[in-house]
Amino acid sequence: MSAQKKEIPYKIYLTEEEMPKAWYNLRADMKNKPAPLLNPATHEKMSVDDLSHVFCRELAEQELDDKTPYIPIPEEIQKFYKMYRPSPLVRAYCLEEKLGTPAHIYYKFEGNNTSGSHKLNSAIAQAYYAKKQGLKGVTTETGAGQWGTALSMACAYFGLDCKVYMVKVSYEQKPFRREVMRTYGASVTPSPSMETEIGKKINAEFPGTGGSLGCAISEAVEKATTTEGYRYVLGSVLAQVLLHQSIIGLETEAALKKYDIVPDVIIGCAGGGSNLGGLISPFMRDKIQGKLNCRIVAVEPDSCPSFTRGVYAYDYCDTGMVCPLAKMYTLGSGFMPSGTHAGGLRYHGMSSVLSQLYDDGLMEARSYKQTDVFAAAEEFARCEGILPAPESSHAIRAAIDEALKCKETGEAKNIVFGLTGTGYFDMYAYEKFNNGTMVDVPLTDEDIKKSLATLPKMD
Amino acid sequence: MSAQKKEIPYKIYLTEEEMPKAWYNLRADMKNKPAPLLNPATHEKMSVDDLSHVFCRELAEQELDDKTPYIPIPEEIQKFYKMYRPSPLVRAYCLEEKLGTPAHIYYKFEGNNTSGSHKLNSAIAQAYYAKKQGLKGVTTETGAGQWGTALSMACAYFGLDCKVYMVKVSYEQKPFRREVMRTYGASVTPSPSMETEIGKKINAEFPGTGGSLGCAISEAVEKATTTEGYRYVLGSVLAQVLLHQSIIGLETEAALKKYDIVPDVIIGCAGGGSNLGGLISPFMRDKIQGKLNCRIVAVEPDSCPSFTRGVYAYDYCDTGMVCPLAKMYTLGSGFMPSGTHAGGLRYHGMSSVLSQLYDDGLMEARSYKQTDVFAAAEEFARCEGILPAPESSHAIRAAIDEALKCKETGEAKNIVFGLTGTGYFDMYAYEKFNNGTMVDVPLTDEDIKKSLATLPKMD
């Protein structure tokens, strides 16, 4: 006889007391550890000292720590988290009804903060350690502006200076994002700029260039390493970022447990891997330990398919080739997604942690065309209310497809996906979709072969 | 001996069971009822039948009902509310700390939904009654697009057609808002259009005009009254809208009671009055009945000061003069705020309900310059995280000023204000503020005298 089931509300919130007090470091429980970061010149293992020239010391330690399972969240960060967390775990009753599926669909919604995404979870942590180290400020790059916004908010809170190098074409085309950052007191410089050596060089070589993320990273790193009291911070890919993002998964786990819900499928979109890595971390632990039998699915755009069409190899993390080498699923640091690609998730590689898990067969991956992704976004928005970010909509597409499969088989599976953010600053892309002018340009094997030629030669 | 006080969390959420099941109709408890709506041609009282040509019948009944204190919220609307409500009542711990005030500051945050504001609370109700009446669709106007977005979301949910007339200059300058509405399936027409008689007439008289809210209202009303199966809906000013918005106040009341908090000051920004009227309703009831001793403060821009510099008189609700006459604090329907005014809250008049309460001395009102309002917005954003809408920031300004007064007097007052929405689509205005190019153009007595000359002649 089963106990009386509690009715599941539309939104499951944890109380402040139930919020996680420590981040979870999945690497501690991985049987095969992620491959170490290497010096791009010498190909030797990076030490904490090496990394500390670029990153705050405590973050460098977190980056290399694959042993400590739980790292306490400092009080000050817990306090900031309480302003916009816990985020709700939402039961998508309306979407289920619309689809006519017996599946139960849940999404962890990270968009209810001004940065509009989960990026704030790591931004506040990185700003905190910079402040604790007595730094004056931090530098970073931003493309579309989500990460730059999150970091600006975090720096405003701790009274840190924040220098953001924003890809010039985005700086000009996304003035609203730029102004949000400026409202939080950040200085936003279009990249390439004339403030750095690398910027000057690129401006001289390519007059009038709109810039690239790779160039902006190089400028931000140069500025941090040549300015007294500054360090560089990064919003994805790194293991430290996945660590901070574990708050997403830990809250999800606690919310599901409150109602005795066992997930059958967990789905997340994957760019650099910060959201996916954070969401799945406690579930992956249980899966590794044989306590949970659950599918874990990474979803990527078919115009930037690192998992589904990339190779597992050491590669540069940035196109400027100044950052350490990481072993990851990659398309090559020279990879550029098609200009018609509007859906975000443009990074050429994938977190080393996730890459190892994927290589170990612990995760699945799939890719979708952007028009299919926007169709899912629209369907979701019209019944669940929330206008999702294009990135998040990759996970929506996969969740809908899984729920439709359940409709065929009659299974009442529990599907959990990460809704990483809102699409308010992505209306150019939605406009294309609404006007029917969004196109899918297939990525050829030839394209991939070309970009894989940029991989470093390893011994 | 006082009981042990419970620690107050950063965010007070109600459970779904604690959410209000009925709206509260403040008019039922007002000693002096708001003056009735009059036919603009005959100056006779409007009946439900009269109003039913323009509005859904059940909404027309709600509009004229000043007797029934509680009106049950239909199940379907409760269900929709559960997708984005309850909204949190937030304790502004960080702002208090920043200000160094002994005051306790709370804000009811209505911005956590895709419309970005409280407007959705009434949009879903109006869409529901339209659906229930078997209509095909509804028409409305929108300026900046908040209301249009909310209505599009509501109509998408119930499968109703939604025709939005968007002031042409906004249609062109705010393409993102337009695309949000289109994503929810609404048709958005720049006004003046060539689809209506009034639109054609205005286009002929003023070729190349950017349109006005008054003109857009007239187009929407004409379209609704000349198209089979359509009615017109409105997002503010009307008593029915205040009724639906009472959900804000009822939730606030319940959240405060959970922690035995008694408000000393309640503050809301005031444009047409829908947010303020909703927020204060249960507190005003208690104040009228002598059960609560609490100040209630309306805040308006000094470039559109209906309460603080207007007159209490019958006026047209729209510049097109097609809607009923309402008795209200007004600057005259011909009033146009200065072109430099970026802060929202541009309506010439004020809800009849609030006007009567203000005339009865039950409320205070004050006005602020927009540069002072944006300075408060920025200060708030940097410590509380949320980037507020310019409209909402009027209430923030007043709350900060009240808290600073407490700092002087050493009083630990409970200050509650309404944070109606987010400013993500207002970055042009923030950009002006960030660049130091925002100016305050004082409104002269002469300006007001001129616009008051547009008041109708009454017997």
Side-chain angles (χ1 to χ4, degrees):
Chain A
M1 240 176 68
S2 78
Q4 179 74 33
K5 283 246 177 163
K6 282 182 279 189
E7 199 180 329
I8 297 162
Y10 279 70
K11 294 187 247 61
I12 307 176
Y13 277 110
L14 304 179
T15 65
E16 285 184 5
E17 292 71 41
E18 292 167 329
M19 285 174 69
K21 306 283 184 291
W23 293 302
Y24 169 59
N25 183 8
L26 177 57
R27 287 168 293 170
D29 289 310
M30 286 170 68
K31 285 171 190 163
N32 298 319
K33 306 286 182 193
L37 294 174
L38 302 182
N39 181 306
T42 65
H43 291 193
E44 277 172 25
K45 268 197 206 181
M46 299 290 285
S47 68
V48 169
D49 282 343
D50 295 333
L51 289 177
S52 295
H53 298 294
V54 179
F55 301 121
C56 303
R57 185 148 195 107
E58 217 156 329
L59 291 167
E61 284 165 5
Q62 290 181 0
E63 190 61 35
L64 299 188
D65 182 350
D66 59 10
K67 307 245 167 357
T68 317
Y70 289 93
I71 294 176
I73 305 173
E75 284 282 342
E76 290 86 341
I77 299 175
Q78 286 192 43
K79 203 172 136 186
F80 188 88
Y81 278 167
K82 283 181 193 164
M83 288 206 293
Y84 72 100
R85 308 198 66 82
S87 70
L89 182 72
V90 186
R91 172 78 184 267
Y93 279 117
C94 294
L95 181 61
E96 290 170 18
E97 198 180 314
K98 172 92 187 301
L99 298 174
T101 176
H104 294 192
I105 307 173
Y106 299 88
Y107 55 92
K108 180 71 170 165
F109 180 44
E110 292 288 317
N112 272 350
N113 69 75
T114 290
S115 80
S117 81
H118 66 292
K119 298 272 179 184
L120 194 52
N121 301 331
S122 183
I124 192 65
Q126 297 193 50
Y128 166 79
Y129 290 113
K131 183 75 182 176
K132 195 180 164 202
Q133 191 171 320
L135 298 179
K136 284 187 209 148
V138 292
T139 71
T140 200
E141 76 292 331
T142 202
Q146 254 178 355
W147 166 246
T149 305
L151 190 67
S152 306
M153 292 172 67
C155 287
Y157 183 77
F158 284 123
L160 272 177
D161 186 37
C162 180
K163 295 188 192 301
V164 180
Y165 290 86
M166 187 171 187
V167 177
K168 194 182 267 172
V169 60
S170 297
Y171 182 91
E172 284 159 3
Q173 284 177 3
K174 295 209 165 186
F176 291 175
R177 271 286 188 198
R178 179 187 79 209
E179 289 308 321
V180 176
M181 291 183 258
R182 291 182 67 205
T183 301
Y184 284 94
S187 73
V188 187
T189 306
S191 167
S193 74
M194 296 303 279
E195 281 182 7
T196 64
E197 292 312 312
I198 181 87
K200 282 181 208 163
K201 193 174 154 229
I202 289 172
N203 271 317
E205 271 178 51
F206 308 98
T209 173
S212 71
L213 205 55
C215 166
I217 294 178
S218 306
E219 285 207 275
V221 171
E222 180 186 323
K223 189 75 179 181
T225 50
T226 58
T227 312
E228 179 70 26
Y230 280 76
R231 288 293 184 284
Y232 168 71
V233 297
L234 184 66
S236 190
V237 185
L238 297 173
Q240 61 185 270
V241 179
L242 268 70
L243 172 71
H244 307 145
Q245 295 296 356
S246 69
I247 186 93
I248 304 173
L250 294 166
E251 282 186 8
T252 303
E253 183 191 31
L256 290 173
K257 280 196 176 148
K258 268 180 111 154
Y259 290 87
D260 303 318
I261 303 157
V262 178
D264 296 298
V265 193
I266 298 174
I267 299 166
C269 62
S274 72
N275 143 69
L276 180 66
L279 172 66
I280 68 172
S281 54
F283 305 103
M284 185 57 88
R285 175 200 58 211
D286 289 356
K287 187 170 172 157
I288 290 171
Q289 297 176 348
K291 294 174 191 161
L292 179 67
N293 181 17
C294 143
R295 288 168 52 215
I296 293 179
V297 183
V299 192
E300 53 187 20
D302 77 350
S303 49
C304 191
S306 353
F307 267 147
T308 49
R309 295 175 73 188
V311 297
Y312 190 35
Y314 266 103
D315 195 6
Y316 300 103
C317 289
D318 60 317
T319 48
M321 305 179 184
V322 294
C323 295
L325 296 178
K327 191 174 178 193
M328 54 187 181
Y329 274 85
T330 181
L331 298 161
S333 65
F335 180 78
M336 287 289 289
S338 155
T340 62
H341 173 63
L345 309 175
R346 305 176 137 265
Y347 189 64
H348 66 279
M350 186 61 66
S351 144
S352 289
V353 177
L354 295 182
S355 292
Q356 186 60 49
L357 293 167
Y358 183 61
D359 204 55
D360 288 342
L362 289 160
M363 285 169 55
E364 306 165 28
R366 70 177 71 163
S367 72
Y368 285 109
K369 288 190 296 184
Q370 63 177 344
T371 48
D372 290 340
V373 167
F374 276 83
E378 188 189 271
E379 181 167 18
F380 181 82
R382 290 186 184 184
C383 60
E384 288 288 318
I386 296 165
L387 186 81
E391 294 84 345
S392 325
S393 303
H394 288 75
I396 297 175
R397 174 78 273 162
I400 289 177
D401 287 357
E402 290 291 327
L404 291 175
K405 253 193 270 172
C406 288
K407 189 177 178 178
E408 279 174 31
T409 62
E411 289 171 290
K413 283 190 182 167
N414 290 319
I415 300 168
V416 177
F417 73 91
L419 189 70
T420 55
T422 50
Y424 309 144
F425 292 93
D426 300 287
M427 297 317 296
Y428 277 128
Y430 273 100
E431 183 175 11
K432 272 193 208 169
F433 179 73
N434 292 336
N435 291 340
T437 56
M438 178 174 281
V439 290
D440 298 300
V441 176
L443 185 66
T444 66
D445 290 338
E446 196 54 39
D447 295 331
I448 295 180
K449 205 175 139 193
K450 228 182 265 174
S451 68
L452 284 177
T454 61
L455 286 175
K457 304 281 166 276
M458 305 299 289
D459 307 318
Chain B
M1 243 176 61
S2 78
Q4 179 76 30
K5 283 246 178 162
K6 280 181 280 187
E7 198 181 330
I8 296 162
Y10 278 70
K11 295 187 247 62
I12 308 176
Y13 278 110
L14 304 179
T15 64
E16 285 184 3
E17 292 70 41
E18 292 168 330
M19 284 175 69
K21 305 283 184 292
W23 293 302
Y24 169 59
N25 183 8
L26 177 57
R27 289 169 291 170
D29 288 309
M30 286 170 68
K31 284 169 190 164
N32 299 319
K33 305 286 181 191
L37 294 173
L38 302 182
N39 181 306
T42 64
H43 293 192
E44 278 173 21
K45 271 199 206 178
M46 300 289 285
S47 67
V48 169
D49 282 342
D50 294 335
L51 289 178
S52 296
H53 297 297
V54 179
F55 301 120
C56 304
R57 185 148 196 110
E58 216 156 331
L59 291 167
E61 283 165 6
Q62 291 181 358
E63 190 60 36
L64 299 187
D65 182 350
D66 59 10
K67 307 246 165 359
T68 316
Y70 290 93
I71 294 176
I73 304 174
E75 285 282 341
E76 290 86 339
I77 299 175
Q78 286 192 44
K79 201 172 138 185
F80 189 87
Y81 278 167
K82 283 181 195 166
M83 286 208 291
Y84 72 101
R85 307 198 68 81
S87 68
L89 181 72
V90 186
R91 172 79 184 269
Y93 280 117
C94 295
L95 181 62
E96 291 170 18
E97 199 180 314
K98 172 93 187 299
L99 298 174
T101 177
H104 294 191
I105 308 174
Y106 300 88
Y107 56 91
K108 181 70 170 168
F109 180 44
E110 292 289 317
N112 273 350
N113 70 73
T114 290
S115 81
S117 82
H118 66 293
K119 298 271 178 183
L120 194 53
N121 301 333
S122 183
I124 192 65
Q126 297 192 49
Y128 167 79
Y129 291 113
K131 184 73 183 178
K132 195 179 162 200
Q133 191 171 319
L135 297 179
K136 282 186 210 149
V138 292
T139 71
T140 199
E141 75 292 333
T142 202
Q146 255 178 354
W147 166 246
T149 305
L151 190 67
S152 305
M153 291 172 68
C155 287
Y157 184 75
F158 284 123
L160 272 176
D161 186 38
C162 179
K163 295 187 191 302
V164 181
Y165 290 87
M166 187 170 189
V167 177
K168 194 182 268 174
V169 60
S170 297
Y171 181 90
E172 284 158 4
Q173 285 178 3
K174 295 207 165 188
F176 291 174
R177 273 285 189 200
R178 180 187 77 207
E179 289 307 321
V180 177
M181 292 183 258
R182 290 182 67 205
T183 301
Y184 283 95
S187 73
V188 187
T189 306
S191 166
S193 75
M194 297 302 280
E195 281 182 5
T196 65
E197 293 310 314
I198 181 85
K200 283 182 206 160
K201 192 170 155 234
I202 289 173
N203 271 319
E205 271 180 51
F206 308 98
T209 175
S212 72
L213 205 54
C215 166
I217 294 178
S218 307
E219 286 206 275
V221 172
E222 181 186 322
K223 189 74 180 182
T225 50
T226 58
T227 312
E228 179 70 25
Y230 281 76
R231 288 294 185 283
Y232 169 70
V233 297
L234 184 65
S236 189
V237 185
L238 297 174
Q240 61 185 270
V241 178
L242 268 72
L243 172 70
H244 308 145
Q245 295 296 355
S246 69
I247 185 93
I248 304 173
L250 294 166
E251 282 186 8
T252 304
E253 184 192 31
L256 290 172
K257 280 197 176 150
K258 267 179 111 154
Y259 290 87
D260 302 318
I261 304 157
V262 179
D264 296 298
V265 194
I266 297 174
I267 298 167
C269 62
S274 71
N275 142 69
L276 181 66
L279 173 66
I280 68 173
S281 55
F283 305 103
M284 184 58 88
R285 173 199 60 211
D286 290 355
K287 187 170 173 159
I288 291 170
Q289 297 176 348
K291 293 175 192 161
L292 178 68
N293 180 17
C294 144
R295 288 167 52 216
I296 293 178
V297 184
V299 192
E300 52 188 20
D302 79 348
S303 49
C304 192
S306 353
F307 268 146
T308 50
R309 296 175 74 188
V311 298
Y312 190 34
Y314 265 103
D315 195 6
Y316 301 103
C317 290
D318 62 317
T319 47
M321 305 179 185
V322 295
C323 295
L325 296 177
K327 191 173 177 192
M328 55 186 179
Y329 275 85
T330 180
L331 298 161
S333 65
F335 179 79
M336 285 291 288
S338 156
T340 63
H341 174 63
L345 308 174
R346 307 177 134 264
Y347 189 64
H348 68 279
M350 186 61 66
S351 142
S352 289
V353 176
L354 295 181
S355 292
Q356 185 60 48
L357 293 166
Y358 183 61
D359 205 55
D360 289 342
L362 290 161
M363 283 170 56
E364 306 165 29
R366 70 177 69 162
S367 71
Y368 284 110
K369 288 190 296 186
Q370 64 177 343
T371 49
D372 290 341
V373 167
F374 276 84
E378 188 188 271
E379 184 168 16
F380 181 82
R382 290 186 184 185
C383 60
E384 288 288 319
I386 296 165
L387 185 83
E391 294 83 346
S392 325
S393 304
H394 288 76
I396 296 175
R397 173 79 271 164
I400 289 177
D401 287 357
E402 290 291 326
L404 292 175
K405 253 194 270 171
C406 288
K407 189 178 179 177
E408 280 174 29
T409 63
E411 290 170 290
K413 283 189 183 167
N414 290 319
I415 300 168
V416 177
F417 73 91
L419 188 70
T420 53
T422 49
Y424 309 144
F425 292 94
D426 299 288
M427 296 318 297
Y428 277 128
Y430 273 99
E431 183 175 12
K432 273 193 206 169
F433 180 73
N434 292 336
N435 291 340
T437 56
M438 178 174 280
V439 292
D440 298 300
V441 176
L443 185 66
T444 67
D445 289 340
E446 195 54 37
D447 294 332
I448 294 179
K449 206 175 136 192
K450 226 182 268 173
S451 69
L452 285 176
T454 61
L455 286 175
K457 305 280 167 278
M458 306 299 291
D459 305 319

